[in-house]
Amino acid sequence: MSLSRESLEHLADLARIHLAEGELSRFEKELPSLLDFVAALQSVPTDAVIPVTGGTDLTNSLRRDKEVFAPLGDPEDLRTAFSNSDERGYLVVSKIFGYED
Amino acid sequence: MRIEALTVAGAVEGLRRKDFSAVELTNAYLAAISRRDHEIHSYLFVAEEIARASAKIVDRGIAEGLPLPALAGIPMAVKDNILVKDLPLTSGSRILEPYIASYDATVVARLKTAGAVILGKTNLDEFAMGSSTENSAFGPTQNPRDTSRVPGGSSGGSAAAVAGDLALAALGSDTGGSIRQPAAFTGVVGMKPTYGRVSRHGLVAMASSLDQIGPLAKNVEDTALVYQAVAGHDRYDATSSEKPVETPSPVSLAGLRIGVPKEYFGQGLDPRLSDTVRAALKKFETAGARVAEISLPHAAEALAAYYIVMPAEVSANLARFDGLRYGFASAPSKTILDFYKDTRDRGFGAEPKRRIMMGTYVLSHGYYDAYYLKAQKVRRLIRRDFEDAFKDVDVLMGPTTPSVAFPFGAKSSDPLAMYLEDIYTVAVNLSGVPALSLPCGTVAEAGRALPVGLQIIGSWFDEARLLGVSKVCESVLGKIF
């Protein structure tokens, strides 16, 4: 199987990763060989086989409405996990609005 | 105190008898780390002060005559994709720097409740993707049995720390063999519990339907003690099971039905490993076990199914690393898309990128049915193979890996060669059953005795028997290291 440069660049766009020229040419060779490897599955008969949907067959893991949870973390601790926060305790992130397009 | 001779159970007993204090025990390990870890590089971060402070609390308890919890004062290492409050967490990647964990993973909270002393965080392949630790953004870990070779991966730092007497036990995580393969390469015991047996809350997700946290230790008894401390239902992980955790009980080999999957002795297996594993099976048979060849008909397809399901889940889980929430962020760009793409380009190494691309492909419109859905159907068949096998046998046994620990660089240029390292371990994750790697012998190479791992696979939630069987097998095999 082969993967065109155009498809590869589209895939990188979908994955939100910029790939340098060297990586593009490397993946242009590697991804098709990995896809050929996993294509071995096509010959396995799977008619009427129910696909697995997760690591467990548990469904609807529910808890009682009245259960009270301890908070997962102190907001103060959470601030240390972020790159940046201001004196009011707000977490500062890069702007995501107001770009040119 | 000779830490080389210590075990978890022995160390707790030593504390109880006041042969040494918890602070002395912790200091002995911290000294070993500062003496030898520059050569092994098993740790990414050592928490000396915090470790001494927790050891002091244990000593105070002993002085007050309080009952000692199961892991009182035990110096342990934690893989650096598991959160320990107030310590840095990298997951082996640049993209999380300079993240400091704001809470304890459930397993870490349970270790602390059990009295364990956390020495530090261990090296791993970036986001647990790899079989050698060569993919760590912070440099590889060396195998203490032969420092010219890899320790396996992705929990290579945890395995090397235990094998090199730089921790008495450790936690790792296993998505396709990442506890068992490094345990095999470094000659220690490592167990992946049943999916759902141990909480994943506070584990950096790689492939959520496959990931499990588990122990690495010097022997089966220690492995069981750590496993019991961390296992059991957790309200913060909805996939964790409410089934009670049973205490491992002694098992006799007499009449034990051992199934040997013939597919695990096929092409690609180093004949020296085949001979070593078969010699171990012969010893179990002599001790009364009934060893029979069985078949797992879809074993050959497991690796292909794994390399569809895993990257698909990876591409979804790693989408959160966008430079906005935590960790590394690239300089502001012209568009938000450029910002994401630049952050992820510079933050991720080659292997996460490769798997994100692969996962994005198999999940994309028009390919989903042919790849992801097909793989999830084959996964059902792989699971059924194990269900059928466990109707006739109590445990399954075979080699953990197709080869012994390989030299640095031997497989790093060919992704597929590296992926083949997981050929005997991935089916276990795809079907969810528990499995353990036990040292069963050595192979001599260039004057070194390189460990060989025996993989013992149990039925779902049957860790008690798996550990019981492993313990009796360990005693039949005798001392290996």
Side-chain angles (χ1 to χ4, degrees), chain B residues 60-81:
Chain B
R60 205 176 307 144
I62 295 171
E64 288 169 13
L66 298 176
L68 286 188
L71 303 176
I74 299 303
M76 285 191 62
V78 176
K79 186 177 181 179
D80 199 29
N81 60 350

Side-chain angles (χ1 to χ4, degrees), chain A residues 59-65 67, chain B residues 233 238 242:
Chain A
T59 49
N60 292 341
S61 175
L62 303 175
R63 59 176 75 91
R64 285 188 297 272
D65 285 345
E67 268 189 83
Chain B
H233 180 250
E242 294 191 16

Side-chain angles (χ1 to χ4, degrees), chain B residues 122-318:
Chain B
T122 52
N123 199 13
L124 67 158
D125 288 292
E126 185 170 359
F127 284 106
M129 299 175 190
S131 307
S132 66
T133 73
E134 290 169 293
N135 293 338
S136 168
F138 306 100
T141 296
Q142 273 70 30
N143 190 328
R145 309 288 179 198
D146 177 350
T147 51
S148 71
R149 291 169 192 271
V150 303
S154 63
S155 310
S158 287
V162 174
D165 290 306
L166 305 170
L168 201 31
L171 288 183
S173 68
D174 189 317
T175 305
S178 279
I179 289 175
R180 291 160 285 157
Q181 187 254 14
F185 275 15
T186 58
V188 302
V189 179
M191 179 169 84
K192 182 207 86 77
T194 309
Y195 183 87
R197 185 56 114 178
V198 176
S199 169
R200 293 178 293 113
H201 174 64
L203 169 70
V204 177
M206 174 185 163
S208 308
S209 78
L210 304 164
D211 298 339
Q212 266 294 283
I213 294 171
L216 295 106
K218 288 199 233 175
N219 62 33
V220 176
E221 185 183 18
D222 290 0
T223 303
L225 287 169
V226 177
Y227 158 74
Q228 284 185 276
V230 299
H233 180 250
D234 174 26
R235 52 171 27 180
Y236 293 125
D237 176 0
T239 62
S240 71
S241 168
E242 294 191 16
K243 286 192 173 67
V245 179
E246 287 152 0
T247 309
S249 47
V251 170
S252 164
L253 277 180
L256 184 82
R257 298 169 303 167
I258 299 173
V260 181
K262 63 175 185 214
E263 293 82 3
Y264 287 7
F265 288 83
Q267 204 192 352
L269 174 63
D270 182 331
R272 299 171 303 173
L273 273 74
S274 174
D275 292 347
T276 309
V277 169
R278 289 203 187 278
L281 292 170
K282 196 81 212 159
K283 285 183 186 165
F284 305 150
E285 200 166 23
T286 308
R290 283 152 48 195
V291 179
E293 186 176 276
I294 63 119
S295 175
L296 298 172
H298 298 90
E301 282 87 35
L303 199 61
Y306 177 76
Y307 272 94
I308 292 173
V309 174
M310 177 274 295
E313 296 186 12
V314 160
S315 71
N317 276 325
L318 267 53

Side-chain angles (χ1 to χ4, degrees), chain A residues 1 3 8 11-19 23 26-27 30-31 34-35 37-38 41-42 44-46 49-52 54-58 61 63 67-70 72 77-78 81-83 93-96 99-101, chain B residues 85 99-100 102-103 195 201 209 235-236 238 301 303-305 307-308 324-327 333-337 339-341 344-345 350 353-354 356-358 360-361 370-371 373-381 383 415-416 419:
Chain A
M1 109 145 253
L3 200 59
L8 198 62
L11 212 54
D13 258 349
L14 290 173
R16 303 286 189 263
I17 296 186
H18 171 261
L19 295 177
E23 283 173 319
R26 186 172 172 184
F27 287 159
E30 284 175 357
L31 285 186
L34 293 175
L35 289 166
F37 175 72
V38 300
L41 293 191
Q42 300 310 325
V44 182
T46 52
V49 175
I50 301 163
V52 169
T56 159
D57 285 333
L58 287 174
S61 175
R63 59 176 75 91
E67 268 189 83
V68 179
F69 268 57
L72 271 178
D77 291 332
L78 199 57
F82 277 70
S83 321
V93 299
S94 304
K95 70 171 182 179
I96 54 168
Y99 279 102
E100 285 174 22
D101 53 357
Chain B
K85 189 174 185 305
Y99 180 78
I100 307 277
S102 60
Y103 66 96
Y195 183 87
H201 174 64
S209 78
R235 52 171 27 180
Y236 293 125
E301 282 87 35
L303 199 61
Y307 272 94
I308 292 173
L324 289 177
R325 289 159 233 244
Y326 26 54
S333 309
K334 203 168 159 201
T335 70
I336 188 69
L337 192 61
F339 171 75
Y340 289 150
K341 289 173 70 175
R344 288 159 66 77
D345 175 28
K353 283 181 185 171
R354 186 180 289 117
I356 289 170
M357 291 287 283
M358 179 83 178
T360 305
Y361 183 91
Y371 289 99
L373 190 64
K374 184 76 181 183
Q376 291 288 49
K377 287 181 177 175
V378 174
R379 187 174 176 184
R380 175 75 62 192
L381 299 175
R383 200 182 156 94
L416 203 50
Y419 297 172

